[in-house]
Amino acid sequence: EMSEMSERSKQNVAHGLAWSYYVGYLKIVLPKVKNAMEEFSRANPNVPVCRETWKLHILVPLSCDVYDDLEKADSNIQYLTDLTETTLTRAGTKKRVYKHSLYMIRDEDKLWSCAVEYATPLQSLYAMSQDECAAFSREDRLEQAKLFYRTLEEILKGSKECTGTYRLIVYQESGEAETHSLSREILWHLQQQRWEEYAMHEENQPHNPSTALSSTELNLQISDSDLPQPLRSDSF
C-alpha cells in the first residue's frame, strides 16, 4: 500500500535519481577531483587557481533547464580544458571514461578557474515533464527537483570519501532574461568558498544572492502557478 501511494505521488522519482547519480557517478569521480586539479595546476602554473575551490561544482537549477554548452548559456563562462580522465570497465562497457571540464569564469577584470557541470539527472526530470506518457506536470517537476537536491545533499553529507570534493549550487532562475546570471551564481559560490576558508569562525555571513537557495528553504510546497516561483520572500 505504501509503495502504491509513493508511486502515485511520484515521491520515488527524485529519490531514485539522486541515489543513482551518487552511486553510479559521484562516488566514483569525486574522490579524484582534487588530485586532477593539482595535476593541472602543476602543468599550468600560469593559470590562476584557488585551492579552496578545487572541487566539482554541481549546478542544480530547479527549473531543470540544463544547457549542454555552458559557453552558450553565459558568455562569461569559457571552456579551458578537460581534467585527467578516469577510465573504468563498468557494467559490461570496456574502458568507460569519466571526465570533467574546467572553465574560466570572468568576474569583471578577474578570472576564476572552476570545474563545473550540471547534475545530469535533471535532464530526465525535464524530459518527463515534456512526455505525455509520464503524466509528469511542471508542478511535479519543481517538487521533484527540490526533493532531488535535498536527497543528494543528505547522501553526500554522509559520504566520507566525498567530503570536501564538491559544491552544490542550487538556484532558481528569476524568469527575466539575464545575460550573466549563471556566471554570477557560480562566482558567488567561488567567492564564498574563499571567504569561508579565511573566516570560518566569523559569525556574520555575507548575504546570499537573490537566486541562491539553502536546503532549509527547499520545502516541497508547490506554487499555484504552473511556472516555478521564487522561494524567498526577498527574491525579485
Side-chain angles (χ1 to χ4, degrees), residues 3 18 31 41 44-45 54 81 86 94 98 101 105 114 125 129 141 165 184 191 213 234:
S3 178
S41 182
N44 301 272
W54 282 7
T81 187
T86 296
K94 296 287 187 180
Y98 301 84
S101 294
I105 317 295
C114 172
L125 290 177
S129 70
R141 186 179 71 197
T165 63
R184 285 200 300 270
Q191 294 161 353
L213 302 170
D234 60 344

Side-chain angles (χ1 to χ4, degrees), residues 77-105:
I77 303 175
Q78 299 176 357
Y79 169 78
L80 182 60
T81 187
D82 290 331
L83 297 177
T84 303
E85 298 176 350
T86 296
T87 304
L88 298 173
T89 295
R90 190 169 176 84
T93 300
K94 296 287 187 180
K95 299 180 180 180
R96 176 168 289 180
V97 175
Y98 301 84
K99 67 178 181 180
H100 311 294
S101 294
L102 193 67
Y103 290 87
M104 300 300 291
I105 317 295

